[in-house]
C-alpha cells in the first residue's frame, strides 16, 4: 500500500508531511529523475504525478488511480498511461480559490484602469480618468467548469455584467450563457474583458486567434490563465500592436519558462506572471487526494475522473 | 425651487443632465468662482456642494438641505454653514461600489505578491513564490460605516480572515470586531493588510502614526483610501524605510495633488492614485440626491444627516 510521488516542480517533503497528516498509514515514495530506489513496484497503488515520463506508469501492475498534481490533465496527454486506471483531476479549494483571486484581481485591474493611472503618476500627472460603472462592464469567462463557475461567483458581488461560454449550454444564475460554435461569436462580440479558463483539448487549442480576437470590441482586454496552447501568440501580438486589443495578462505559455527573447517579454501592453494564477498548495490539496484514496478503499470511484486525451 | 451646484472638481453639465432626468422641474443653477449670476438667492432650496467658500451658504434664507458631493463631509468642516440646515452625506451605490473595487484590488495585490512578481519578471526571472492561503491572511478594515461594511462583504467570498475596527462595537457576521482605544491595539497586532476607511474627525486625525504602525506585524501593508489627514506621512516613510511596513497604497493626501517633491512620489514601496478610489459618478449619484429631495418635498427628513464638525 504505497503512493508514488513524481514531479519536478512540487515540494515532495511538503506533500509527504501533509499526506501523512491525512493518511498516517500511507507509504509515501518519491520517484526522482536519477532513478532513486522506490522499492517493490507491486506495492504502488496510487500515483500522484506531474508530467510523468512516457510509459513510465505502466510498470505498476497494482495501480488503482493516477492523481494529477494540477487542475489540468493535459500534462498527461501522450504519457502512454496504463489502460483501465482512472485518471483523477485535482479539485482543491486552494487551487480554485487561487484562480478566482487571480481572475478577480486582473478584471479589476483593467476595469479600474490601473495601468493608465500608473503611467500618469510616473509622469507626475494627477487627474481623474473617466470610469465606467461595473453594471456596464461586460466580463466574459470561457470555460464553465469548477474554476470558471467559482470565478463568476467571486465577480458577482461587484455587479459586473457577466457572461460565460462553454462547449455545452450551462445555466448559471446571473450569468448570460453562450455555448458551442454559434454562441462563441455572439459571446466574443459583447465581451470587454475576456478570461480564458478552458481545458486544453484539440477543440480549444489555438481558440484565441486572429479571427476570434477580431470579434472582441475595440480595446478589449485578455486574461489567459488556462494554457499557453489556447493562444496563437503572433495573432495576439498583432492585435495588441494594432490597438484592437487594449492589453493582456498572461500566466501560461507555449514554452515555460517563457524564453527571454519572446516578444511578450518586453511588450508594453502585456503583464506576465510565471504560471502562478492557481497554485497547488499541499496544505489544502492533500486533503482532496486523501479523500479520493479513502473513497477507493471503500470501493467507491474517485472523482472527478477524466480522459487525459480529451481533457474532460 | 432651485438647486445650487458648487464644485471645482465635478462636472456641472453632467450633473445638470442627470438631475434633469430625475427631477425635470428642478431649476439647476451653477455657482462659479467668478461670481456668475445665480439669480434670486431666495429661490435656492438645495445646495449640492464640494468645499464651499466659508460662510457662503449663509446668504440663502430658504435653504432646506446641504448635500455633500462626496461620501465624506470633512470638506464642510469650518465652512461656517447656516445653522439648522441639515447636512446630507452622499451614499450612492456607485460610490460604495467603487470603493469596494479599490479595496479588493489592493488587498489581492498584496496578498498575491504582484509587486514581487513584477520585479522578478522585469529581471527575466521565473519562479513561484511562497503563497499564503487566504484563510490565513488577516485583513483589517478601520471604519465600519457603509463603505467599510460593503468592502468586507466583497472580501468575504475570498475567505480572508477578516477583522474590523470602529469607535463603537459593531456586529458583522464573519468579521472579528474590535472597538475603541482598547480594541485598537489588539486589532493592529493581528492585521497584515490594514485598510483605512475612517471618517476624518478630530479623534481619527493622525491615527496612522509611528506608534500604531509599530503595532502592525512585520511586513504589513497599508491601504489608505479615506483622507490624507489620517496618516502622519513622515512616520509612514520611516516605517517603510526600516522595512517594518512592507508597502503602501495611498489614494489621499494632506495636499492634493500630491506635490512633485513629496517623498511618497518616488518611493519604491508606495503605490499612488490621484484620489480615485471612490468616484462620485453623476449617473448613479444624482438618483441618491433626487431621492432625498423627494423625501424633503413629502415632509420627510433626508438621510443620512451628519454633523460636519464630528463627521458622523
Amino acid at each position: 500500500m504505497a503512493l508514488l510521488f513524481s514531479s519536478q516542480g512540487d515540494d515532495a517533503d511538503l506533500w509527504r508531511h501533509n499526506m501523512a497528516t491525512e493518511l498516517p498509514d500511507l507509504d509515501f515514495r518519491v520517484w526522482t529523475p536519477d532513478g532513486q530506489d522506490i522499492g517493490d513496484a507491486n506495492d504502488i497503488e496510487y500515483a500522484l504525478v506531474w508530467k510523468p515520463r512516457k510509459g513510465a506508469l505502466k510498470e505498476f501492475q497494482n495501480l488503482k488511480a493516477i492523481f494529477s498534481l494540477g487542475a489540468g490533465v493535459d500534462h498527461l496527454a501522450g504519457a502512454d498511461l496504463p489502460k483501465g486506471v482512472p485518471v483523477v483531476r485535482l479539485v482543491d479549494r486552494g487551487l480554485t480559490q487561487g484562480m478566482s483571486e487571480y481572475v478577480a484581481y486582473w478584471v479589476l485591474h483593467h476595469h479600474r484602469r490601473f495601468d493608465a493611472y500608473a503611467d500618469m503618476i510616473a509622469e507626475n500627472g494627477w487627474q481623474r480618468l473617466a470610469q465606467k460603472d461595473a453594471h456596464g462592464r461586460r466580463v466574459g469567462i470561457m470555460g464553465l467548469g469548477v474554476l470558471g463557475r467559482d470565478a463568476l461567483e467571486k465577480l458577482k458581488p461587484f455587479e459586473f455584467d457577466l457572461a460565460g461560454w462553454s462547449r455545452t449550454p450551462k445555466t448559471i444564475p446571473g450569468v448570460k450563457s453562450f455555448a458551442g460554435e454559434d454562441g462563441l461569436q455572439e459571446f466574443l462580440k459583447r465581451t470587454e474583458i475576456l478570461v480564458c479558463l478552458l481545458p486544453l483539448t484539440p477543440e480549444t487549442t489555438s481558440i484565441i486567434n486572429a479571427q476570434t480576437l477580431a470579434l472582441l470590441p475595440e480595446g478589449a482586454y485578455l486574461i489567459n490563465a488556462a494554457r499557453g496552447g489556447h493562444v496563437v501568440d503572433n495573432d495576439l501580438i498583432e492585435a495588441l500592436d494594432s490597438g484592437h486589443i487594449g492589453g493582456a495578462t498572461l500566466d501560461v505559455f507555449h514554452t515555460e519558462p517563457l524564453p527571454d527573447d519572446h516578444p511578450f517579454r518586453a511588450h508594453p501592453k502585456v503583464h506576465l506572471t510565471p504560471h502562478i494564477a492557481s497554485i497547488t498548495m499541499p496544505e489544502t490539496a492533500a486533503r482532496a487526494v486523501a479523500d479520493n484514496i479513502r473513497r477507493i478503499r471503500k470501493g467507491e470511484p474517485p472523482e472527478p475522473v477524466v480522459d487525459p486525451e480529451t481533457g474532460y
Side-chain angles (χ1 to χ4, degrees), chain A:
Chain A
M1 280 234 310
L3 177 142
L4 180 78
F5 179 91
S6 173
S7 167
Q8 304 288 315
D10 296 272
D11 187 329
D13 289 335
L14 204 52
W15 269 99
R16 180 196 303 280
H17 172 78
N18 282 283
M19 287 304 296
T21 307
E22 290 288 332
L23 297 168
D25 61 331
L26 187 75
D27 189 357
F28 189 94
R29 301 187 190 171
V30 180
W31 209 8
T32 53
D34 54 9
Q36 192 184 315
D37 182 28
I38 51 151
D40 187 346
N42 288 325
D43 294 348
I44 305 295
E45 292 187 341
Y46 310 104
L48 178 58
V49 296
W50 181 261
K51 289 189 186 170
R53 229 177 346 100
K54 188 172 177 180
L57 294 178
K58 283 190 158 169
E59 73 172 279
F60 306 104
Q61 301 295 323
N62 296 317
L63 206 55
K64 291 179 179 166
I66 297 167
F67 296 107
S68 168
L69 272 160
V73 291
D74 49 295
H75 64 97
L76 296 171
D80 191 18
L81 301 176
K83 295 227 186 312
V85 179
V87 173
V88 187
R89 220 158 59 70
L90 186 63
V91 177
D92 161 44
R93 182 188 63 74
L95 204 60
T96 307
Q97 212 162 277
M99 182 61 88
S100 294
E101 290 170 0
Y102 188 93
V103 170
Y105 175 82
W106 288 106
V107 166
L108 287 167
H109 180 88
H110 181 65
H111 170 59
R112 291 299 297 268
R113 308 182 67 178
F114 283 116
D115 279 337
Y117 278 115
D119 291 348
M120 176 202 294
I121 292 291
E123 291 167 10
N124 276 358
W126 199 270
Q127 64 175 109
R128 290 183 170 188
L129 301 175
Q131 177 60 50
K132 203 176 223 195
D133 184 25
H135 283 200
R137 183 69 79 187
R138 298 190 304 280
V139 180
I141 295 194
M142 300 177 90
L144 299 175
V146 173
L147 296 178
R149 287 200 304 270
D150 191 76
L152 285 163
E153 289 308 317
K154 301 284 196 289
L155 290 171
K156 270 186 195 172
F158 294 100
E159 302 183 29
F160 289 111
D161 184 351
L162 299 172
W165 180 81
S166 53
R167 198 172 44 98
T168 55
K170 297 269 189 342
T171 304
I172 304 175
V175 177
K176 294 178 185 75
S177 288
F178 299 85
E181 272 300 311
D182 295 345
L184 185 59
Q185 290 215 0
E186 214 185 324
F187 167 79
L188 292 171
K189 281 184 190 164
R190 56 94 62 203
T191 295
E192 292 172 273
I193 302 178
L194 177 66
V195 182
C196 179
L197 294 177
L198 289 165
L200 188 66
T201 69
E203 287 76 36
T204 66
T205 296
S206 299
I207 194 167
I208 297 168
N209 56 46
Q211 287 71 43
T212 50
L213 288 167
L215 290 168
L216 293 168
E218 187 81 17
Y221 197 88
L222 170 68
I223 299 165
N224 185 21
R227 288 288 181 263
H230 288 118
V231 175
V232 179
D233 291 0
N234 286 337
D235 289 2
L236 175 57
I237 287 165
E238 276 180 29
L240 287 163
D241 289 344
S242 78
H244 180 67
I245 298 298
T249 295
L250 307 173
D251 186 52
V252 287
F253 307 91
H254 287 270
T255 305
E256 295 178 13
L258 185 65
D260 286 356
D261 60 352
H262 193 288
F264 285 153
R265 277 275 188 187
H267 203 289
K269 291 184 178 174
V270 176
H271 289 277
L272 303 173
T273 51
H275 204 144
I276 53 88
S278 174
I279 300 174
T280 307
M281 286 180 287
E283 295 88 332
T284 57
R287 165 74 53 89
V289 174
D291 282 346
N292 267 319
I293 292 176
R294 283 187 275 260
R295 291 174 64 85
I296 293 168
R297 286 178 177 177
K298 284 194 283 182
E300 297 168 13
E303 56 183 28
V305 171
V306 285
D307 177 348
E309 304 304 328
T310 62
Y312 42 84

